[in-house]
Amino acid sequence: MENQHEEQNQLNIELNEEIAEGQYANLAIITHSNAEFVVDFVNVMPGLPKAKVKSRIILTPQHAKRFMKALQDNIKKYESVHGAIQDQEPVSMPMNFGGPTAQA
């Protein structure tokens, strides 16, 4: 009976080859409204005045908070094995995209 219940609660997640390769990003720009958080992942190349958004993820506020907690938990686990992640100096270029903005 318990196995049957577990099978009903399983989620089958597919990962195609293109998505599995991933996208490199070294900047995340976060904006929000009352209904959603938008996270743009960007690859900024040194010396170039232009950068492209590589991926955009849109989350509800509840999912954004759950994502933040999951990321914090994973960082703690990483640091317990590999040592503290060193913060670097903040990005100095102006970042204003017409809404409340934070960067990570």
Side-chain angles (χ1 to χ4, degrees):
M1 183 85 164
E2 190 172 313
N3 281 344
Q4 201 174 31
H5 182 65
E6 286 178 18
E7 287 179 21
Q8 289 176 346
N9 289 331
Q10 282 189 336
L11 177 62
N12 186 9
I13 298 174
E14 290 186 25
L15 180 63
N16 68 35
E17 284 185 39
E18 183 182 352
I19 298 297
E21 289 179 15
Q23 290 287 331
Y24 177 78
N26 53 11
L27 176 69
I29 299 171
I30 304 166
T31 56
H32 66 275
S33 70
N34 64 332
E36 62 197 15
F37 280 74
V38 178
V39 185
D40 287 327
F41 292 96
V42 182
N43 185 2
V44 179
M45 298 301 291
L48 295 180
K50 209 173 180 182
K52 287 188 175 184
V53 172
K54 294 296 187 173
S55 183
R56 171 173 278 189
I57 306 298
I58 302 168
L59 304 159
T60 65
Q62 294 81 7
H63 286 127
K65 192 165 189 173
R66 288 170 72 188
F67 178 71
M68 178 194 69
K69 288 178 180 180
L71 188 57
Q72 287 174 328
D73 182 55
N74 276 270
I75 288 171
K76 284 179 190 175
K77 289 175 183 174
Y78 175 92
E79 288 182 330
S80 73
V81 172
H82 301 285
I85 299 170
Q86 300 300 313
D87 286 332
Q88 297 187 357
E89 293 184 30
V91 177
S92 60
M93 66 179 97
M95 299 268 179
N96 186 352
F97 296 95
T101 301
Q103 65 184 38

